[in-house]
Amino acid sequence: MIPLFKVFMPESVMEPLQQTLMSGYIGQGVKVDAFEAKLSEWIGCPRVLTLNSCTSAIQLALRLANVSFGDEVISTPMTCTATNEPILAFGAKIVWADVNPKTGNLDPLDIERKINKKTKAIIMVHWGGYPCEIDAINTIAQRHGLKVIEDAAHAFGSTYKGKKIGNHSDFICFSFQAIKHLTTVDGGALICKNAEDHKRGKLLRWYGINREGSRKDFRCEEDVVEYGYKFHMNDVAATIGLEQIKQVDGIIRRHRGNAVFYDEELKKIKGIEITLREENRLSSYWIYTLLTDKKQALMGAMNEQNIQVSSVHARNDQHTMFKDFKADLPGVTEFTRRMVCIPVGWWVTDEDRKKVVEAIKNF
Ligand SMILES: Cc1ncc(COP(=O)(O)O)c(C=O)c1O
């Protein structure tokens, strides 16, 4: 079976991991600081907060955006439920905007149509790693005084207008969960554009307590001003992250190389359409999505050839938990009807990718 996802774990983690595990300190400490510094350097943005997941990053971003009961948040159904469940946790209402059926990414025009006085924030998701219309969405948000959150769980290393994702909006959320480009087993990061949000986020990721501040005694903290969460990363996860980040450029290069090969080969096949590519942005291809009118039959044929394919995420608006938020979303319907994700990652060899193309051709 050529799998759709695979965990990357270099042998080189073993020695530093053992050292950290036996060091007598495994909570949030020097390894977290070191990993945070490396991430900042790699992304090119100083305000990085490492966390225990991307789901936590989204929840923290919504909190920093001051989303609360009765507010509205505009979001996409084309994502993992992790993007949208945190909105419910604040008692806020989800307003679905439609997607471009050629990318799976939010349509800025539909976002603007859905804005009203209750709207507080917009969450975009870079489907498969392909960056959204970030500038257009931010321009709309600024016009209406809204905060913009990028769920960049798929898009570690993707670029938009010459800069890595992580440098464009108020808040950017990354995932270092098991099958992402860079894994810390579980983990995530939140990047804040603004220094005030970064400072507050640093407190809220650990109960609202200032870890760098003075203490009443060895254990007891000074006054805690507002409640926070237990969202921090630990030194064990960060130790893995420090080894992973040394190799992540190579990982992303291989995902992209396989995607270029598919783009070239698949556009020659009748009945297969590749998703939109624009020159000002580059995906890191966490997944590779193709479009076809014969989705179910193609998926069946690929599985028979031992090639794992999937839709990866079910449209969120059809889940019972989101039943109160209905919308007419023709772009989502069109995209979900036609999209198929095929294996593209670092584990897909030259031979594997030829086999994938052959299977599609023969179909
Ligand atoms: C788009 C998207 N957002 C959020 C998440 C949640 O990430 P985590 O597992 O790090 O919380 C995922 C997980 O795959 C995802 O695909």
Side-chain angles (χ1 to χ4, degrees), residues 10 18 31 40 50 62 75 144 182 211 217 310 328 338:
Q18 184 166 12
K31 298 292 180 187
S40 287
T50 52
L62 288 163
S75 185
H144 298 273
L182 183 158
R211 293 171 71 97
D217 76 11
S310 166
D328 187 26
R338 302 188 71 219

Side-chain angles (χ1 to χ4, degrees), residues 264-279:
E264 282 305 308
E265 296 300 317
L266 297 181
K267 69 183 175 206
K268 299 178 200 154
I269 304 176
K270 202 165 155 257
I272 302 294
E273 191 182 337
I274 61 173
T275 51
L276 187 67
R277 307 274 182 260
E278 278 165 288
E279 280 189 358

Side-chain angles (χ1 to χ4, degrees), residues 34-104:
F35 181 49
E36 225 161 66
K38 280 274 175 233
L39 273 174
S40 287
E41 189 189 313
W42 194 84
I43 295 167
C45 169
R47 285 173 292 281
V48 178
L49 295 169
T50 52
L51 301 171
N52 58 4
S53 73
C54 183
T55 312
S56 300
I58 295 164
Q59 180 137 356
L60 190 52
L62 288 163
R63 175 81 184 282
L64 294 171
N66 295 317
V67 169
S68 61
F69 188 83
D71 289 338
E72 293 188 2
V73 177
I74 297 178
S75 185
T76 172
M78 282 320 310
T79 185
C80 173
T81 60
T83 310
N84 292 310
E85 291 192 42
I87 304 172
L88 299 187
F90 289 95
K93 188 177 161 194
I94 300 172
V95 177
W96 303 117
D98 207 0
V99 303
N100 178 344
K102 302 292 182 197
T103 60

